[in-house]
Amino acid sequence: MSAKDLPAPDDRYPVRRALLSVSDKAGLADFGRRLDALGVELLSTGGTARALREAGVPVTDVAAVTGFPEILDGRVKSLHPAIHGGILARRTDPDDLNQLREHGIGTIDLVAVNLYPFRQATAGGATDAVAAENVDIGGPGMLRAAAKNFAFVAAVVDPADYGAVADELDAHDGTLSMATRRRLAATAFAHTADYDTAIAAFFAGDGEDGHPAASPLPSAEGRQEGGDTEADAMPATFTVDLPKADDLRYGENPHQRAALYGDASDRYEVLWGKALSFNNLIDLTAALDLVAEFGGGPPTVAILKHTNPCGVGQAKSLEAAYHKAFATDRQSPFGGIVVVNRPLDRATAQAIDAVFTEIIIAPAFEDGVLDFLQQKANRRLVRADLAPARTQWNVRSTAGGLLVQDPDAPLAADVGEQWTVPTERRPTEREWADLDFAWRVCKHVKSNAIVYARDGATLGIGAGQMSRIDASEIAVAKGAKSGLDFDGCVVASDAFFPFADGLEAAAEAGATAAVQPGGSVRDDEVIAAADARGVAMAFTGRRHFRH
């Protein structure tokens, strides 16, 4: 639709008539008083009109303007030409103004509207009927009309703007500038877009928490090959709608801008130290994802650097688990992250404190531990919910758009029962426990990933290598540098061994059991190499690449 050739609007237009219809009544009475004091005629609906009258602010009901009462339990009240005509009329268009006069419609210069609280009404789960009843119809229509006509009309959706709008009206003889009206229009369009996204997300799935439900997961075999059933279908469109939580000092590097969007207040809280940086937040997420694998297990400590685990340990106490984790790599933990799956006690805190650790994450801190750790200012102490994140999608930017996938969820406690053993020898009970442990750690190491472990402790971790053999050699070298003995250990590989040489290298290092997805065209060669060396091997049937 092309624009009419009309005279340019003035920079400033007076506000003589305003329509107020809000769900959130915060600041309403004061805003109404200030508009009334400026001589602005106020129109309103339902509960907003009652609230203004109770505050002593004179107001005219919309029904008196339209000549039509509210109907259908208030579902229809402002959807009328007497309202939308007054909002949408172009003040520099003689035809528009003539039509208003012909039909006895007055202009409306300011629209203050915020919408039914859809997200709050559906948070935690809601029926379709409840959700539908909380879909606002008239509010978005009035907001969009005012924002569309921002050249002449102010659309005020955020109560935080009431004061600034009233101040400008006071200071400029009851007028608002084009810049203000345009800024308010941008806020209004963002608000209605956010609102529609929440509604669409609810009805795209089960609606719980305003997010679409996950499709039913197919079998591991189906995922390995890639499913194409209707249940596997991804959304036809993908919309990201998150409020800005914080402007970060910079991004991954100082020359990159960055901000955090969303609300993680129910997942973690910084109890001490500077605000988390872009890289801190990425590392914290990696730490929480890793420790979620061990939520119901014995005391577990993981040390991470640049999202990769340097070492992970399990023991009867957190302190012993920390020493196991640290023994894997005594150099890399400097400036890293430590996460524990139990309330942090004083003995473990003292052990951690011996090495500079930038972030310490725990579900809680025992009495006196925070005071002790706060003696060093240049660290962050974070209390976190260690339950697996209820994340619907994993999202990454790519050339031309976004890549969206299911998250690689934490493994089930009985995941080993789904594995198969293709070798002549089955793993011993101890080896089974170590394989389970190593596989959970390996899942969180950048590919190509190799993890050696024994007795609930990593012995060597090889991360992010182009060759699986290189990853294995690095893992062994790191363990050897720490003086660790690999005899009788197990090895985990995030993807299948493409050749027998990977398994052979692990056996030479001392591994007696291995866990890998399987699925290589040379599986028979790898199995034969394992049998020749007495190595027990388990196939998981599921790969865990991490890029």
Side-chain angles (χ1 to χ4, degrees), residues 157-205:
V157 66
D158 188 348
D161 283 322
Y162 292 169
V165 168
D167 288 345
E168 183 173 340
L169 290 170
D170 279 336
H172 293 277
D173 197 24
T175 66
L176 293 175
S177 69
M178 175 70 80
T180 295
R181 298 193 304 273
R182 193 176 191 282
R183 176 183 66 80
L184 293 170
T187 302
F189 281 128
H191 188 77
T192 57
D194 172 86
Y195 194 74
D196 286 341
T197 298
I199 295 168
F202 180 94
F203 286 104

Side-chain angles (χ1 to χ4, degrees), residues 386-404:
L386 304 187
R390 198 165 173 263
T391 303
Q392 176 60 28
W393 304 117
N394 178 281
V395 183
R396 296 180 67 172
S397 60
T398 188
L402 297 175
L403 283 172
V404 182

Side-chain angles (χ1 to χ4, degrees), residues 91-149:
R91 279 46 166 181
T92 57
D93 187 339
D95 290 339
D96 283 7
L97 298 180
N98 285 335
Q99 288 181 52
L100 291 189
R101 283 191 289 271
E102 180 183 347
H103 295 286
I105 298 173
T107 57
I108 296 173
D109 310 304
L110 182 148
V111 173
V113 171
N114 50 62
L115 311 178
Y116 296 165
F118 184 86
R119 277 199 174 89
Q120 295 91 318
T122 57
T127 64
D128 283 354
V130 169
E133 203 59 35
N134 282 277
V135 174
D136 202 326
I137 302 300
M142 289 187 289
L143 265 183
R144 289 177 64 85
K148 171 178 175 146
N149 208 25

Side-chain angles (χ1 to χ4, degrees), residues 274-286:
K274 295 184 294 184
L276 297 175
S277 69
F278 182 96
N279 292 333
N280 290 154
L281 288 163
I282 292 175
D283 286 338
L284 177 140
T285 301

Side-chain angles (χ1 to χ4, degrees), residues 351-370:
I352 296 171
D353 190 61
V355 177
F356 170 61
T357 303
E358 188 168 7
I359 304 177
I360 300 172
I361 307 167
F365 294 81
E366 292 187 358
D367 290 346
V369 171
L370 282 174

Side-chain angles (χ1 to χ4, degrees), residues 113-422:
V113 171
N114 50 62
L115 311 178
Y116 296 165
F118 184 86
R119 277 199 174 89
Q120 295 91 318
T122 57
T127 64
D128 283 354
V130 169
E133 203 59 35
N134 282 277
V135 174
D136 202 326
I137 302 300
M142 289 187 289
L143 265 183
R144 289 177 64 85
K148 171 178 175 146
N149 208 25
F150 72 90
F152 312 100
V153 180
V156 186
V157 66
D158 188 348
D161 283 322
Y162 292 169
V165 168
D167 288 345
E168 183 173 340
L169 290 170
D170 279 336
H172 293 277
D173 197 24
T175 66
L176 293 175
S177 69
M178 175 70 80
T180 295
R181 298 193 304 273
R182 193 176 191 282
R183 176 183 66 80
L184 293 170
T187 302
F189 281 128
H191 188 77
T192 57
D194 172 86
Y195 194 74
D196 286 341
T197 298
I199 295 168
F202 180 94
F203 286 104
D206 67 359
E208 193 169 335
D209 293 327
H211 294 289
S215 298
L217 292 176
S219 66
E221 291 78 13
R223 287 281 160 163
Q224 198 80 352
E225 295 298 324
D228 59 1
T229 66
E230 184 176 348
D232 291 330
M234 298 291 283
T237 59
F238 185 78
T239 305
V240 177
D241 169 41
L242 298 170
K244 183 162 71 173
D246 195 15
D247 284 305
L248 305 180
R249 198 153 54 104
Y250 53 80
E252 196 166 8
N253 300 291
H255 63 277
Q256 295 171 269
R257 296 181 302 161
L260 173 65
Y261 293 84
D263 181 8
S265 58
D266 61 340
R267 293 236 53 208
Y268 66 85
E269 177 185 8
V270 179
L271 302 177
W272 172 258
K274 295 184 294 184
L276 297 175
S277 69
F278 182 96
N279 292 333
N280 290 154
L281 288 163
I282 292 175
D283 286 338
L284 177 140
T285 301
L288 293 179
D289 287 347
L290 172 56
V291 81
E293 302 285 354
F294 303 100
T300 304
V301 176
I303 307 171
L304 294 91
K305 192 79 170 284
H306 298 299
T307 74
N308 278 306
C310 307
V312 182
Q314 286 187 329
K316 292 182 179 180
S317 71
L318 279 182
E319 182 186 8
Y322 173 77
H323 288 301
K324 279 185 170 185
F326 183 72
T328 307
D329 183 345
R330 300 176 186 275
Q331 184 177 15
S332 299
F334 183 86
I337 291 180
V338 171
V339 61
V340 302
N341 71 341
R342 294 285 192 282
L344 187 62
D345 58 85
R346 180 63 176 261
T348 308
Q350 289 175 325
I352 296 171
D353 190 61
V355 177
F356 170 61
T357 303
E358 188 168 7
I359 304 177
I360 300 172
I361 307 167
F365 294 81
E366 292 187 358
D367 290 346
V369 171
L370 282 174
D371 292 336
F372 168 72
L373 292 173
Q374 287 170 3
Q375 293 177 34
K376 293 185 179 177
N378 197 23
R379 68 160 47 121
R380 283 90 159 176
L381 304 177
V382 179
R383 179 171 56 212
D385 177 3
L386 304 187
R390 198 165 173 263
T391 303
Q392 176 60 28
W393 304 117
N394 178 281
V395 183
R396 296 180 67 172
S397 60
T398 188
L402 297 175
L403 283 172
V404 182
Q405 65 175 351
D406 296 325
D408 196 0
L411 300 173
D414 60 352
V415 67
E417 296 179 11
Q418 303 168 26
W419 300 349
T420 59
V421 178

